[in-house]
Amino acid sequence: MRKINPGRAGSFLFVLLLLLCFSCSESKRTTRILFVGNSYTYRNNMPKIFERIAQSKGEEVRVSHITRGKYTFYLHSKRKKLYKALHNQDWDVIVLQGSSRDMLRDSARFMKRTYPALDKMLGMIRKNQKDAKVYFYMTWPYRKGDPKTERFSNPDSMLKAVATGYHNLKDRYNIPVIPVGKVWRSYVITYPEAELYLKDNSHPTYEGSYLVACTMYSAIYGKSPQGANKLAIFNQNEYERIQQFVGKKYRTKEFQYYLRTE
């Protein structure tokens, strides 16, 4: 019986392990994600923040966005750029964000404009992106609520209306909702000194967009964002607090409820 040289055997096993590792890395498929929305998506280049968070956590991901300021689902349903992207490119995940104020409109307007717009958009997605996972992105309330509507003139009543609107979309289309607005409001209540809003009391600061991106990461990948890239938050302690907060919120029944579909 031929005696095996231990040195040669060890070298062979080392080379085999390298090949296996190379094979695994090569087989890890890149996830392509498309964000569709308005300034609540593109401010501070939130999609890029999300991409860098995911990559720092070991994900292979490429992110794109089709956005325009003040755009609603209705306006997006008319965009040739969106339909071109849905027809000519393959997406694994598509995140749809509408206008916060849209959710405060009466039901007649919703029936007349929002539902037909989403029927059109989702019809195109289902036709051309059959394997894509679709999410709705629930936005947050304005810092002081909506000053144009008395019954939504505080952040909690406004958030309730926005959340109800997205809940209705979840039930109608059987599509999960990423409850960014819920996480945002809870963070503001827990840490009132946090600066998530710009001076306009509506749009996000960099910290606000970082919280959005962390929430997106947890919802899409099913993991806590803790340990992700610090990126460029000026308050070096804020990033860790946001990561921990989102990681805990992600595990709550309410968060998971919005992600469940029948």
Side-chain angles (χ1 to χ4, degrees), residues 238-255:
E238 191 75 44
Y239 87 94
E240 190 169 308
R241 189 167 74 174
I242 289 172
Q243 289 178 10
Q244 291 176 348
F245 190 85
V246 173
K248 290 179 180 178
K249 280 293 175 182
Y250 165 72
R251 298 182 182 92
T252 63
K253 290 182 179 179
E254 182 179 49
F255 197 115

Side-chain angles (χ1 to χ4, degrees), residues 206-211 229-240 242:
Y206 189 93
E207 286 81 357
S209 293
Y210 190 83
L211 182 141
N229 198 317
K230 297 180 183 180
L231 302 177
I233 287 181
F234 296 113
N235 181 345
Q236 291 298 304
N237 295 321
E238 191 75 44
Y239 87 94
E240 190 169 308
I242 289 172

Side-chain angles (χ1 to χ4, degrees), residues 50 57 59 135 214-225 247 250-251 255-256 259:
F50 167 86
K57 294 283 286 181
E59 311 296 346
Y135 294 90
C214 284
T215 306
M216 293 287 179
Y217 174 79
S218 284
I220 292 171
Y221 284 100
K223 302 174 184 176
S224 169
Y250 165 72
R251 298 182 182 92
F255 197 115
Q256 293 301 317
L259 294 180

Side-chain angles (χ1 to χ4, degrees), residues 33-38 64-68 71-91 93-97 117-125 128-129 134:
I33 300 177
L34 175 66
F35 287 92
V36 179
N38 55 37
S64 298
H65 64 92
I66 294 176
T67 51
R68 183 168 289 183
Y71 257 46
T72 62
F73 289 131
Y74 175 76
L75 292 174
H76 273 300
S77 72
K78 296 177 176 295
R79 291 199 74 183
K80 292 181 179 179
K81 184 176 181 180
L82 174 59
Y83 291 104
K84 184 177 179 181
L86 295 176
H87 187 268
N88 296 336
Q89 300 179 61
D90 292 326
W91 305 101
V93 176
I94 300 173
V95 181
L96 303 175
Q97 178 241 320
L118 284 169
D119 290 344
K120 183 179 177 182
M121 291 168 63
L122 292 170
M124 178 63 74
I125 291 171
N128 295 283
Q129 306 290 332
V134 182

Side-chain angles (χ1 to χ4, degrees), residues 122 126 134-136 169-171 173-177 258 261:
L122 292 170
R126 286 162 181 160
V134 182
Y135 294 90
F136 286 121
L169 296 184
K170 174 181 181 289
D171 287 349
Y173 296 106
N174 197 33
I175 289 175
V177 173
Y258 278 103
T261 56

Side-chain angles (χ1 to χ4, degrees), residues 34-61:
L34 175 66
F35 287 92
V36 179
N38 55 37
S39 54
Y40 277 26
T41 292
Y42 72 67
R43 278 294 177 103
N44 306 304
N45 202 351
M46 187 279 293
K48 189 65 177 180
I49 298 174
F50 167 86
E51 182 181 70
R52 290 180 63 187
I53 286 172
Q55 288 173 343
S56 74
K57 294 283 286 181
E59 311 296 346
E60 294 290 337
V61 60

